[in-house]
Amino acid sequence: MTSVVAQANPAELVVTDLHDHPLSIAQKLGAMETINVTNQSEKTDVFTKGKGHFDVVFECTGASAAIRGALEMLRPGGTMVLVGVAGEVALPLNVVVSKEVRMVGTHRFHPEFSDAVQMIDAGLIDVTPIISRTFDASDVAAAFAAASDRSSALKVQLSFQSIE
């Protein structure tokens, strides 16, 4: 089976996060608006007015509060793509049912992983803007420490060039 990667130009692309660093990267990559929900949560009010604003929402944290907030911003009949992985979470079924929300889970390993690697290798996807730092594979502990600091790192990668 072959997977298909769709490219879309959304009329509006809004990104929310708890930290300014990932938001600054999102803005450089084309986000039309970025909102730090830690200290600018009122900016999301415009998207929750009425019955919601967006046709599609990608929820990438897996956190109950973020899922609820995303559902509030989703229009009736909209689609929520669940990307975040976190154990069991509370789900406001009344909102899902009353808005007739379509929920889709997604994961990134088979066969999409191979397709993505080929597209990166061919230069069709540039991942350099989201790579915060590269560590030699022998320094894996430092790499994991850097990756755990969301205020300064998006993605940290290991280089295996020095390994024979």
Side-chain angles (χ1 to χ4, degrees):
M1 178 184 283
T2 303
S3 62
V4 176
V5 177
Q7 291 184 326
N9 294 314
E12 189 171 18
L13 178 60
V14 177
V15 177
T16 64
D17 201 285
L18 301 173
H19 301 285
D20 289 331
H21 179 66
L23 292 171
S24 69
I25 302 299
Q27 196 162 28
K28 289 176 187 172
L29 292 173
M32 297 157 188
E33 184 171 357
T34 58
I35 302 170
N36 184 324
V37 292
T38 302
N39 55 24
Q40 301 174 315
S41 61
E42 71 283 351
K43 287 188 173 184
T44 63
D45 292 348
V46 67
F47 304 119
T48 60
K49 295 237 186 281
K51 294 184 179 183
H53 183 82
F54 297 107
D55 295 316
V56 179
V57 173
F58 285 80
E59 202 300 300
C60 300
T61 68
S64 236
I67 292 169
R68 175 172 274 294
L71 282 169
E72 290 173 5
M73 290 188 255
L74 193 61
R75 284 185 178 145
T79 300
M80 176 178 283
V81 181
L82 298 162
V83 180
V85 178
E88 292 186 28
V89 296
L91 181 65
L93 285 178
N94 58 327
V95 177
V96 173
V97 172
S98 66
K99 284 190 170 187
E100 298 180 345
V101 169
R102 178 174 175 246
M103 299 185 92
V104 179
T106 184
H107 207 53
R108 60 197 174 276
F109 288 108
H110 180 77
E112 296 85 359
F113 187 80
S114 175
D115 293 344
V117 169
Q118 289 175 18
M119 293 173 81
I120 292 166
D121 191 45
L124 299 172
I125 299 174
D126 179 14
V127 295
T128 55
I130 64 170
I131 297 173
S132 302
R133 206 159 155 207
T134 302
F135 288 84
D136 187 80
S138 64
D139 204 7
V140 69
F144 274 97
S148 68
D149 182 1
R150 291 265 302 129
S151 67
S152 65
L154 283 183
K155 300 295 179 191
V156 172
Q157 72 177 1
L158 295 174
S159 171
F160 294 91
Q161 290 181 349
S162 65
I163 296 176
E164 294 181 29

